[in-house]
Amino acid sequence: MSCILLGVSASAAIHKACDLASKLVQEGHEVRTILTPRAAELVSPQLFQALSGQPAVTSEWGDQRQGGMDHIELARWAELYIVAPATANTIGCLASGLAGDLLGTVSLALPPGAPRLLCPAMNPSMYAHPAVQRNIASLVEDGWQLMEPESGRLACEDEGDGRLPEVSQIQERIRELLG
Ligand SMILES: Cc1cc2nc3c(=O)[nH]c(=O)nc-3n(C[C@H](O)[C@H](O)[C@H](O)COP(=O)(O)O)c2cc1C
């Protein structure tokens, strides 16, 4: 059993993050979820909370505050941090070290060397964009593990690289990372 912190950003692939949270709990892991504010417009944090039996939040401010400094507590708690799906925007924020939301703040607060997995999901033109590729390369250089998106048909009806891999494949990668 491991403590897995799931970061979720506002992608059409967010339904797979719900499934992932549920499957990881079924495997015996503890799963807490941080959604970006936009992700919380696509799917209510309440669903992640129901699937995981653990808090699912977008912020460490106001009513959502769990303790004194949630970004530090969550970063210390996590044995694995996984951002799935990771949007182009969130990838850009992480690559720039921005801490404007809880997901970004926790990413900076993780202890050096703590395992972290990035699972991009976006339209193929977005994924191929040099800015996105630069940001991903910079995150890999910073120590992020990368789960490459699959090629196929996306929710936007375009075909190409950018589809979030199947949940079973993400689970497999998580098993490898947890050793
Ligand atoms: C229905 C919908 C689906 C979206 N899917 C994606 C996606 O798969 N990947 C992506 O990079 N952006 C996607 N976007 C755009 C992002 O939601 C937008 O860039 C947003 O600002 C990202 O915010 P976040 O990274 O803070 O979650 C989508 C937007 C909408 C409305």
Side-chain angles (χ1 to χ4, degrees):
M1 194 277 282
S2 298
C3 296
I4 299 179
L5 185 59
L6 175 62
V8 176
S9 56
S11 157
I14 196 168
H15 61 98
K16 288 185 180 172
C18 301
D19 193 24
L20 179 64
S22 170
K23 294 272 167 49
L24 291 173
V25 169
Q26 285 168 35
E27 276 189 55
H29 300 298
E30 255 187 73
V31 178
R32 295 188 191 171
T33 311
I34 301 172
L35 295 95
T36 64
R38 286 290 187 218
E41 290 189 45
L42 290 178
V43 168
S44 166
Q46 204 178 336
L47 178 59
F48 283 94
Q49 201 151 320
L51 293 170
S52 66
Q54 294 281 339
V57 293
T58 59
S59 168
E60 60 183 327
W61 293 87
D63 292 346
Q64 294 192 63
R65 189 170 69 88
Q66 312 273 312
M69 280 190 280
D70 293 344
H71 62 289
I72 305 293
E73 281 154 34
L74 284 167
R76 285 184 184 148
W77 175 85
E79 290 170 83
L80 174 69
Y81 184 44
I82 165 168
V83 180
T87 59
N89 175 64
T90 285
I91 289 168
C93 291
L94 298 182
S96 307
L98 296 180
D101 61 22
L102 183 57
L103 192 155
T105 312
V106 166
S107 305
L108 294 179
L110 291 175
R116 61 203 77 189
L117 176 64
L118 186 76
C119 303
M122 66 199 73
N123 164 277
S125 303
M126 293 171 80
Y127 188 65
H129 195 286
V132 171
Q133 288 302 316
R134 245 189 338 264
N135 288 333
I136 290 175
S138 142
L139 287 171
V140 168
E141 204 172 305
D142 288 351
W144 284 79
Q145 300 285 322
L146 173 66
M147 184 135 197
E148 298 270 4
E150 286 180 344
S151 191
R153 190 179 168 85
L154 285 100
C156 57
E157 300 191 350
D158 279 353
E159 294 235 9
D161 291 341
R163 199 168 71 175
L164 189 70
E166 292 309 317
V167 170
S168 57
Q169 289 172 258
I170 302 176
Q171 282 176 275
E172 191 53 46
R173 187 68 179 268
I174 289 173
R175 276 185 217 114
E176 283 168 19
L177 282 171
L178 291 173

